[in-house]
Amino acid sequence: MSTTTATAGDPPGADLPEHPDFLWRNPEPKRSYDVVIVGGGGHGLATAHYLVRNHGITNVAVLEKGWLAGGNMARNTTLIRSNYLLDESAFVYEHALKLWEGLEEDLDYPILFSQRGVLNLAHTEQDVRDSVRRVEANRLNGIDAEYLGPDDVAKICPILNVSDDIRYPVLGATYQPRAGIAKHDYVAWGFGRRVDEAGVDLIQDCEVLDFLTEGDVGDGTARVTGIRTSRGDIACGQVALCAAGHTSTLLDRLGVRTPLQSHPLQALVSELLEPVHPTIVMSNAVHVYVSQAHKGELVMGAGVDSYNGYGQRGAFHVIERQMAAAVELFPVFARAHLLRSWAGIVDVTPDASPIVGRTPYANVLVNSGWGTGGFKVTPGLGWCLAHTIATGELHPHIAPFALDRFVTGALVDEHGAAGVAH
Amino acid sequence: MQLITCPWCGPREELEFHYGGQAHVAYPEDPQELTDEQWAHFVFFRDNPKGPFPERWVHGAGCRRWFNAVRDTRTYQFLAVYRIGEAQPQIPGATT
Ligand SMILES: Cc1cc2nc3c(=O)[nH]c(=O)nc-3n(C[C@H](O)[C@H](O)[C@H](O)COP(=O)(O)OP(=O)(O)OC[C@H]3O[C@@H](n4cnc5c(N)ncnc54)[C@H](O)[C@@H]3O)c2cc1C
Ligand SMILES: [Zn+2]
């Protein structure tokens, strides 16, 4: 796959590859599959890819109620990093980051993975201490991380306001140089094209409505024998639920309770600008995160809207607050025009860590609760879930995230321990 | 931004309010009788329906009182608001 190269004087984005003429077939569902993956987002597609690539399993269907990767995969702000505090999170996100570093070659498709680094800002003395602690924890886990003072922060991102006369001055930041962004649509198309070539059926416009089951949850014999969809019933060997914000509505059909709550998460982009913002900046305290897309839009995200929702939109005051923070941190943004805003529906857990693994149905795996941060884990999760489906053994990177941690008395940490942004 | 009707103050802007999660989750009557699993469900597990949902809100920037509402999580429309202690209004499809 060739990527055209921009020459001096070309507008930003001139080096984006052309869209290919053909990506995947649009097949009719077969009567049965060895593996049925519910949800054609990044996670479902990556799982299909590693089932093919690592395990040679190709009798697979990915069922998507809308269009391929039109859910959170198309709506996220594409930030990729692995500087999490919790060891278990650091391991799975770093596994993913290593895969991102070779994914373009693996998929033979441009994904525009750009390792431009991430600054996570500290605005209070406590932020500073927490940041230094996280840097040390990251280093012990072999993850690249540094703590920088305001002058060094300004060297990396000159448009950032590091003066001390703002409400939440920048006292410093953690820096992960290997963090980056990728073009989310291209990532999905790369996975989709690859698995389609191998014979996996990507079935769009196919909503999973219910499940056909046998056996009894009480004595451990429960199984799902088929999937009831808007395009008929499909028999299945194994099932992986990868429906992000909608996973709990599917588990409700199976009578399986999870501590998942679905919330709108909003993002927005500016008009196209000259390159001004060379890295990624995140601030949890004033809650904004920003990068500049390949074409030149400033891409910004907020925190989740507080209430539960499935409407793929959110409240205006959340955007307003986020914009106020952005303009204070980046005074040059005051003149940028907002082009569009949107929301995705993210599934949030009490400890801000995912819920992945077995369910009371022997042949059903759940993959959920990645909340506001699951784009970056796409290849890593796909790898681990495919391993689990193919071998029957939970991959060690996902084993800590089992649903039963909430009832076994395991230590269930709070948000801060996970080192997530929201 | 939408108007939310506080049962005491009437319609006010959404940003005067804070969300409090699922309504009618009662503290267990005999906590010492609960198994670990039942405790976990009380602490961590809440409904997450796509449709009408009874939930708690507080009018933080107004009367500062808590109240209950049934809101449709698909449209975000408030279908009913009612005071703490009042019975949940009958709404088709709503969980109780
Ligand atoms: C605004 C926003 C910003 C974000 N920013 C980042 C970020 O910068 N970095 C990061 O790492 N993460 C980010 N995330 C989170 C990330 O997008 C998600 O964690 C991740 O995309 C979830 O996995 P997925 O890609 O498979 O989900 P999705 O792409 O949502 O895939 C799930 C699919 O399941 C389908 N589906 C649902 N129900 C059914 C059904 N009944 N039948 C069939 N199909 C069904 C949906 O249509 C959807 O396509 C962000 C999310 C949002 C909304
Ligand atoms: Zn009031």
Side-chain angles (χ1 to χ4, degrees), chain A residues 218-235:
Chain A
D219 63 16
T221 57
R223 294 178 59 81
V224 164
T225 55
I227 317 273
R228 179 141 287 169
T229 81
S230 56
R231 296 178 67 176
D233 290 353
I234 299 171

Side-chain angles (χ1 to χ4, degrees), chain A residues 65 207 245-246 248-249 252 257-264 305-317 320-321 345 350 403 405-408 412, chain B residues 1-2 4 14-22 36-41 43-51 53 55 57 71-78:
Chain A
K65 74 172 167 153
E207 180 169 8
H246 283 80
S248 71
T249 65
D252 282 348
R257 250 169 107 71
T258 47
L260 291 167
Q261 297 282 295
S262 297
H263 291 266
D305 281 50
S306 65
Y307 47 73
N308 293 29
Y310 291 91
Q312 292 190 326
R313 64 188 166 81
F316 184 71
H317 66 263
E320 209 175 15
R321 227 174 268 155
I345 302 305
L403 174 57
R405 73 178 180 275
F406 296 97
V407 299
T408 53
V412 174
Chain B
M1 186 124 39
Q2 64 172 326
I4 299 177
E14 180 178 346
L15 52 74
E16 294 190 9
F17 298 84
H18 282 283
Y19 184 61
Q22 184 173 357
D36 288 353
E37 186 162 352
Q38 287 167 325
W39 256 121
H41 279 265
V43 175
F44 294 122
F45 289 62
R46 296 289 178 270
D47 294 343
N48 188 29
K50 189 173 184 177
F53 186 39
E55 54 193 19
W57 287 80
R71 190 181 54 96
D72 193 319
T73 61
R74 292 166 298 197
T75 60
Y76 308 159
Q77 191 190 350
F78 282 75

